[in-house]
Amino acid sequence: MKILGIETSCDETSAAVVQNGVEILSNVVSSQVELHRPYGGVVPELASRNHLQLIDTVVAEALDRARTRFDEVDGVAATYGPGLASSLLIGLNAAKGMAVALSKPLIGVNHIEAHLYSPLLAHHAFDALPMVSLIVSGGHTILAHATAIGRHCILGQTVDDAAGEAFDKVAKLLHLGYPGGPEIDKLAKAGNPAAIAFPRSMLDDPSHNFSFSGLKTSVLYYLRKHSQPNVADVCASFQEAVVDVVVGKTIRAAVDTDANTVSASGGVSINSRFRDKLSAECGRRGLRLLLAPASLCTDNAAMIAALGFFKLQQGQCSDFALEVAPSVGLGVVP
Ligand code: KG4
Ligand code: ZN
């Protein structure tokens, strides 16, 4: 069964064809990073206009690369939320139109839930559940516990900024490029992670929640005091503080829930220091670690199509009255 997936929740226009929920036949992602770079962040009006201009071409390219005719598609899955309303509308409405034209089911997919299951897709490891999963991106920092596909609960989440947001804001303070995460990752390699003692907020808090706004403020104060900082040291020390917290809390969540598998997804999970530290900690404790390749960590339609397949298997197709839900959370499905 082939599912066409559509993702337009933020600034990537993406379409993919996935067979039987695991075989990625194509995953086309058109990034708008260059478009938004001059503004140092995503401009919603520009994003939606660009999605509108690109969506047809991106879908055609996805079908072409998958060697799949339009009428061979068995269902159309699209992100309905969370994300930017004007961006979500383009993908969801395009998906509705295609599902009507095909007389095939429409499957609305929660973007965070798709991130949660994307490491399973990457490793064809749907047997790895239950798992503790860290979703760490520009918009979210969530620790979830999943027992089966579609069955999960939230263990904790950020009480203020998302980790990726902190990377992007600190990069801005340092006048680095956008998006900031990859820039900090690169510069940190030449810096000393122990040079500056930035706070590890909520690391010792018994909850599984996170907080990153204090860390961002600490970097701001440090930069006010030091007019000519060693940028590599600031990057390495800031990154180390984020990584210590997210890795420490993920491992503790695995211990608290007796999970044998840990996974991570979302843009920040590409971070090289994060990957090294989480791999080492999981190795030490005999935990199975599933990390997705970068193409499945950042926003992509393959994860939407894959989860769409499983939703369809579970009889969860959507009504055509489905609306975009910009602020929907991951939700709890026991
Ligand atoms: O998952 P994603 O593409 O979009 C959202 O759903 O938010 O994540 C984008 C975020 C940005 O904040 C970006 O700075 C961050 O992921 N990011 C990184 C790295 N690559 C991307 N953060 C730290 N290190 C990286 N290597
Ligand atoms: Zn995302």
Side-chain angles (χ1 to χ4, degrees):
M1 180 177 268
K2 290 179 179 178
I3 302 293
L4 172 65
I6 312 270
E7 157 63 38
T8 62
S9 66
C10 189
D11 61 343
E12 325 277 3
T13 316
S14 181
V17 180
V18 174
Q19 185 153 289
N20 298 331
V22 287
E23 201 185 334
I24 301 172
L25 303 182
S26 65
N27 187 22
V28 179
V29 182
S30 174
S31 169
Q32 302 181 4
V33 160
E34 294 308 325
L35 183 72
H36 300 286
R37 201 187 295 282
Y39 306 95
V42 177
V43 182
E45 290 80 2
L46 286 182
S48 63
R49 198 194 309 157
N50 211 251
H51 285 313
L52 191 56
Q53 281 167 352
L54 286 172
I55 189 80
D56 284 355
T57 322
V58 169
V59 168
E61 174 90 27
L63 291 170
D64 197 43
R65 285 195 203 170
R67 299 187 188 287
T68 299
R69 287 195 324 268
F70 185 54
D71 62 4
E72 289 173 330
V73 168
D74 298 296
V76 185
T79 306
Y80 71 96
L84 298 168
S86 52
S87 287
L88 289 164
L89 273 168
I90 308 296
L92 184 61
N93 284 336
K96 283 182 184 176
M98 286 186 270
V100 169
L102 286 163
S103 300
K104 290 286 156 70
L106 168 77
I107 313 124
V109 171
N110 180 307
H111 180 87
I112 313 174
E113 192 180 350
H115 271 304
L116 195 163
Y117 295 105
S118 60
L120 300 181
L121 167 66
H123 292 267
H124 291 214
F126 291 91
D127 59 332
L129 297 162
M131 68 175 176
V132 158
S133 187
L134 175 73
I135 304 146
V136 68
S137 70
H140 314 283
T141 304
I142 298 174
L143 263 173
H145 183 252
T147 49
I149 292 187
R151 293 192 173 275
H152 47 255
C153 68
I154 296 175
L155 300 171
Q157 54 194 320
T158 182
V159 296
D160 41 53
D161 291 351
E165 206 177 338
F167 268 97
D168 294 339
K169 286 178 176 170
V170 165
K172 226 175 196 174
L173 292 176
L174 291 166
H175 308 291
L176 303 177
Y178 164 85
E183 294 282 321
I184 292 181
D185 192 348
K186 215 178 344 165
L187 288 168
K189 291 188 197 305
N192 172 8
I196 310 154
F198 288 128
R200 270 66 174 158
S201 308
M202 296 186 84
L203 180 57
D204 298 321
D205 186 89
S207 78
H208 297 296
N209 288 335
F210 303 89
S211 166
F212 296 104
S213 79
L215 171 58
K216 176 194 65 193
T217 309
S218 295
V219 177
L220 174 70
Y221 288 163
Y222 179 86
L223 294 176
R224 278 191 188 156
K225 262 202 216 150
H226 302 82
S227 54
Q228 294 200 306
N230 178 325
V231 174
D233 281 354
V234 177
C235 288
S237 300
F238 159 77
Q239 178 178 275
E240 199 68 10
V242 176
V243 168
D244 275 354
V245 172
V246 292
V247 169
K249 297 210 111 174
T250 302
I251 296 292
R252 187 148 53 75
V255 171
D256 288 355
T257 57
D258 268 336
N260 294 320
T261 306
V262 167
S263 76
S265 58
V268 180
S269 74
I270 299 169
N271 184 272
S272 57
R273 180 68 185 132
F274 167 76
R275 290 194 163 216
D276 286 351
K277 193 152 197 170
L278 188 60
S279 303
E281 292 295 326
C282 285
R284 190 173 310 151
R285 288 172 172 78
L287 294 164
R288 181 178 182 186
L289 174 62
L290 302 176
L291 290 170
S295 59
L296 291 177
C297 283
T298 50
D299 291 348
N300 69 89
M303 67 180 186
I304 305 298
L307 185 56
F309 168 82
F310 291 105
K311 297 266 166 205
L312 196 56
Q313 295 286 93
Q314 293 167 0
Q316 294 183 42
C317 54
S318 305
D319 194 277
F320 282 92
L322 176 68
E323 304 249 22
V324 297
S327 316
V328 70
L330 172 61
V332 175
V333 189

